[in-house]
Amino acid sequence: VQLQASGGGLVQPGGSLNLSCVTSGFTLDNYAIAWFRQAPGKEREWVSCMSTTDSRTWYSDALKGRFTGSRDNAKSTVYLQMNSLKPEDTAVYFCAASDNRTPRPCNKDYGMDYWGKGTQVTVSS
């Protein structure tokens, strides 16, 4: 089982990035895919969760409206489009998978079965 996040980088405030989470080794339809982030010196923070059965997506209230999730089943990939980025969005972003067959909160670390390595997002002028 693998999840690989990519697409991070350095962007100016107000800019956009589209993160990708490529999955392999499991049936994507059986898993919700969540995004978390962790800024230096801070606890890991939940960003969003996408149900891969119907693509419903939930977002942290603080980020709603700026971030949008999507998926491409053919590529086993989930995306996180981030717009209007702010310096406080600077963090390492992780994608994680939660087995739908064992319902658990998709907005909590303990609800995840698998984690990918993160991708660094830096928002700075």
Side-chain angles (χ1 to χ4, degrees), residues 25-47:
F26 61 93
T27 303
L28 189 57
D29 283 352
N30 290 335
Y31 287 79
I33 302 296
W35 289 92
F36 291 80
R37 68 184 185 183
Q38 188 164 21
K42 294 187 177 182
E43 293 187 352
R44 190 155 50 192
E45 174 189 15
W46 173 68
V47 173

Side-chain angles (χ1 to χ4, degrees), residues 43 53 56 66 74 94 123:
E43 293 187 352
T53 54
R56 284 186 301 165
R66 296 194 296 122
F94 301 88
V123 184

Side-chain angles (χ1 to χ4, degrees), residues 7-78:
L10 173 63
V11 63
Q12 292 187 343
S16 299
L17 284 173
N18 190 25
L19 304 185
S20 300
C21 177
V22 179
T23 69
S24 62
F26 61 93
T27 303
L28 189 57
D29 283 352
N30 290 335
Y31 287 79
I33 302 296
W35 289 92
F36 291 80
R37 68 184 185 183
Q38 188 164 21
K42 294 187 177 182
E43 293 187 352
R44 190 155 50 192
E45 174 189 15
W46 173 68
V47 173
S48 72
C49 180
M50 171 179 282
S51 166
T52 50
T53 54
D54 59 10
S55 292
R56 284 186 301 165
T57 306
W58 298 266
Y59 303 94
S60 164
D61 285 343
L63 304 173
K64 199 179 299 182
R66 296 194 296 122
F67 290 13
T68 304
S70 63
R71 66 172 174 162
D72 184 334
N73 283 351
K75 296 182 178 180
S76 297
T77 301
V78 175

Side-chain angles (χ1 to χ4, degrees), residues 82-94:
M82 306 187 298
N83 298 326
S84 302
L85 285 164
K86 305 174 182 180
E88 52 264 42
D89 293 319
T90 295
V92 177
Y93 284 71
F94 301 88

